[in-house]
Amino acid sequence: MVYWGASAHRFPFTHCKQNAQRADFAYAKKGFIDPWSAVAPGAVKGTILSLGDELYERALGAYLGFAVGDALGATVEFMTPSEIQNTYGMHRDIIGGGWLKLKPGQITDDTQMSLALGQSIIDSGGWQATAAADAFVTWLRSKPVDVGNTCRRGIQRYITDGTLAGPMNEGDAGNGACMRNLPLALATLNDDEAFAHATLEQGHLTHHHPLSDAATLALGRMTRTLIRGGGIKECRTEANRLIGEFPLFRFEPYPKRASGYVVNSAQTVLYYFFRTDSFESCVTEVVNCGEDADTNGALAGMLAGAAYGVSGIPGYWLKKLDKKIKFRIEEQTKALLTLAQNVKAKRGS
């Protein structure tokens, strides 16, 4: 989650009932039941994927790794490294709690928004900005455990006036767009141009800032590279490109800030991703930086999961993850990759 800017606080959600009801109706008309429904049988036709398929294992590693990082980091969100050290030593167990008083294995808005986005892509047979916006409205009305201020503001704007993007805003440089973009990276895996176009549209639903755009694209490209079989060297090239365009993202030496500011998030995730050699060490190091630990843990889990595959995620973490969420992620990963493969098949025909 992200609270970015001087006015980063929670406030009551007031909405225009007419527009919100219209969004709910439009989404129901497309076959969407609620933000937690599983992928409908037969919703996406194509190749059946299973464990043993290397691409699927890396993609599933990214998505499950994201959720694991979210659940692990939520316990220590908004704590400082010294507070974490004094309370837990090295925090490495999925135990819930934290300021949100979560159950062990419960995820937060990071994974919830990703699942809502993924479901909208599956139900629509591809990226549609309006479908994604409607999904976020339905999610917000479901009274989620937490909502980032900038995400709430952007969804409220859509409910009020139906616009799919607001003007560029200095207060939009949080990590909320970056945190939920993985489903788009999977669905457009074989179309780099579609990924870039859809990523910007997705991000601008709530976050319209060049730093948010750059980080969301860069981390998404790294994840896609890893899923397609690339390695750390290619990811370094992408990180160098990001820093070349926006030197603020320089992460060596580590600036030791892990807030919801997208620059801090990217610096923390990339610093530890490049200096660790396993999923467990990467995610553990990131969440023990505290601050926006759930989102940073999720993004670290996404990259590390794509790099080391689902088999690289410790089994004791996967066992702790909410079983319904784990099942939904497995089903969405298959459906989103099938969408990507269908695009590839059409191009080859």
Side-chain angles (χ1 to χ4, degrees):
M1 64 214 57
V2 56
Y3 302 99
W4 164 244
S7 61
H9 58 273
R10 293 168 190 75
F11 52 89
F13 171 47
T14 57
H15 54 77
C16 169
K17 288 185 178 179
Q18 183 178 4
N19 280 354
Q21 288 170 351
R22 184 166 64 247
D24 286 347
F25 173 76
Y27 220 45
K29 195 173 181 181
K30 294 172 185 171
F32 186 85
I33 305 302
D34 63 60
W36 308 114
S37 64
V39 178
V44 178
K45 296 180 180 179
T47 304
I48 302 299
L49 298 160
S50 63
L51 288 174
D53 181 301
E54 289 186 10
L55 186 143
Y56 174 62
E57 289 215 359
R58 290 190 293 268
L60 184 60
Y63 212 156
L64 284 177
F66 183 94
V68 163
D70 181 12
L72 181 70
T75 302
V76 294
E77 187 185 18
F78 297 141
M79 296 176 71
T80 65
S82 61
E83 288 172 338
I84 296 170
Q85 176 65 33
N86 291 336
T87 305
Y88 301 103
M90 177 67 80
H91 173 58
R92 57 175 74 250
D93 296 317
I94 296 179
I95 57 175
W99 75 277
L100 289 171
K101 296 179 172 58
L102 300 173
K103 298 176 182 177
Q106 186 177 356
I107 45 84
T108 75
D109 53 335
D110 303 79
T111 307
Q112 289 177 345
M113 291 197 81
S114 297
L115 288 168
L117 176 63
Q119 195 67 48
S120 78
I121 295 169
I122 293 163
D123 290 346
S124 301
W127 165 250
Q128 290 187 12
T130 300
D134 289 342
F136 292 156
V137 170
T138 303
W139 168 74
L140 188 60
R141 288 167 62 86
S142 73
K143 299 181 180 179
V145 64
D146 192 38
V147 185
N149 182 58
T150 309
C151 289
R152 187 193 295 269
R153 186 176 66 233
I155 298 168
Q156 283 184 308
R157 185 206 67 249
Y158 172 71
I159 291 171
T160 301
D161 61 23
T163 57
L164 294 170
M168 200 285 287
N169 187 334
E170 288 298 330
D172 285 1
N175 56 20
C178 189
M179 77 182 189
R180 62 180 187 242
N181 202 51
L182 178 57
L184 260 181
L186 298 179
T188 61
L189 194 61
N190 297 310
D191 191 333
D192 293 344
E193 185 177 342
F195 167 72
H197 174 77
T199 290
L200 294 180
E201 286 193 342
Q202 183 281 121
H204 292 174
L205 290 172
T206 57
H207 292 67
H208 195 166
H209 193 283
L211 294 176
S212 170
D213 293 348
T216 305
L217 286 167
L219 265 65
R221 287 174 179 142
M222 290 182 210
T223 303
R224 289 156 61 84
T225 294
L226 292 165
I227 291 172
R228 292 187 294 207
I232 301 298
K233 183 178 179 180
E234 293 93 331
C235 289
R236 268 285 186 181
T237 300
E238 185 62 43
N240 291 340
R241 186 180 299 118
L242 172 66
I243 294 167
E245 185 177 3
F246 294 100
L248 275 173
F249 284 102
R250 190 178 304 277
F251 54 87
E252 293 174 322
Y254 179 49
K256 297 185 179 180
R257 285 303 313 274
S259 75
Y261 176 37
V262 74
V263 172
N264 291 163
S265 284
Q267 289 170 326
T268 300
V269 169
L270 293 176
Y271 179 76
Y272 286 107
F273 175 66
F274 288 124
R275 67 183 278 117
T276 55
D277 60 3
S278 70
F279 180 93
E280 182 176 18
S281 60
C282 177
V283 175
T284 299
E285 292 285 357
V286 167
V287 301
N288 278 273
C289 293
E291 298 192 62
D292 201 12
D294 61 334
T295 299
N296 295 337
L299 292 172
M302 175 181 74
L303 284 179
Y308 304 110
V310 68
S311 62
I313 303 175
Y316 51 83
W317 280 351
L318 286 173
K319 288 178 182 177
K320 283 284 189 179
L321 193 63
D322 183 296
K323 289 181 174 57
K324 291 182 180 179
I325 296 301
K326 183 173 181 289
F327 175 75
R328 288 204 64 211
I329 287 172
E330 291 168 347
E331 294 301 299
Q332 277 201 9
T333 301
K334 293 175 185 176
L336 292 166
L337 287 181
T338 299
L339 279 172
Q341 289 180 344
N342 289 345
V343 169
K344 186 177 181 180
K346 287 180 182 178
R347 284 183 167 183
S349 61

